[in-house]
Amino acid sequence: MRVPLLLVCCTTFLVACTGTPDPGPVFDNENGADLTCLRHQSQPPGSRYTDESMRGTGETLALLRYYTAHGRKPFCDGQSPNGNDKQWAQLYVTLGAHRANVTALLG
């Protein structure tokens, strides 16, 4: 009886350690609100956006919609885009969107 229990525990451990990698953060589109200024992104894009096999249509469309509507607006804190903001803006362009919408974010 101990051998099967040990086998189950070892198998569970191996599956947990070799499972699917974390696909990273979800883009903060500020709940699709009508904005007058932008908030900084707290994390860079992860594989859920950068790996074509992991991209979700809804998440990608939210990113595209956000920068198309608001990418030319200033940040609410008056600061320049941070590294995370620049990575998300570059992803927007990489996905085929119009660079003019995020030119100020890319510097």
Side-chain angles (χ1 to χ4, degrees):
M1 189 79 173
R2 288 186 179 181
V3 174
L5 180 59
L6 180 60
L7 183 61
V8 169
C9 289
C10 288
T11 304
T12 303
F13 176 77
L14 289 174
V15 169
C17 290
T18 60
T20 306
D22 180 8
V26 175
F27 180 77
D28 180 6
N29 71 346
E30 302 187 53
N31 296 317
D34 189 22
L35 307 173
T36 58
C37 57
L38 306 177
R39 288 191 326 210
H40 296 282
Q41 294 297 315
S42 63
Q43 298 180 345
S47 57
R48 80 171 66 237
Y49 294 94
T50 59
D51 181 342
E52 290 183 36
S53 68
M54 297 182 79
R55 280 188 195 141
T57 303
E59 293 168 344
T60 302
L61 288 175
L63 165 73
L64 294 170
R65 191 176 313 117
Y66 178 86
Y67 281 131
T68 299
H70 307 296
R72 296 174 189 231
K73 296 177 181 175
F75 285 96
C76 299
D77 64 4
Q79 299 295 311
S80 298
N82 64 33
N84 295 336
D85 300 319
K86 291 178 181 183
Q87 287 182 50
W88 285 106
Q90 182 57 55
L91 177 61
Y92 172 82
V93 174
T94 300
L95 291 170
H98 196 344
R99 184 181 180 88
N101 291 327
V102 292
T103 298
L105 298 176
L106 294 172

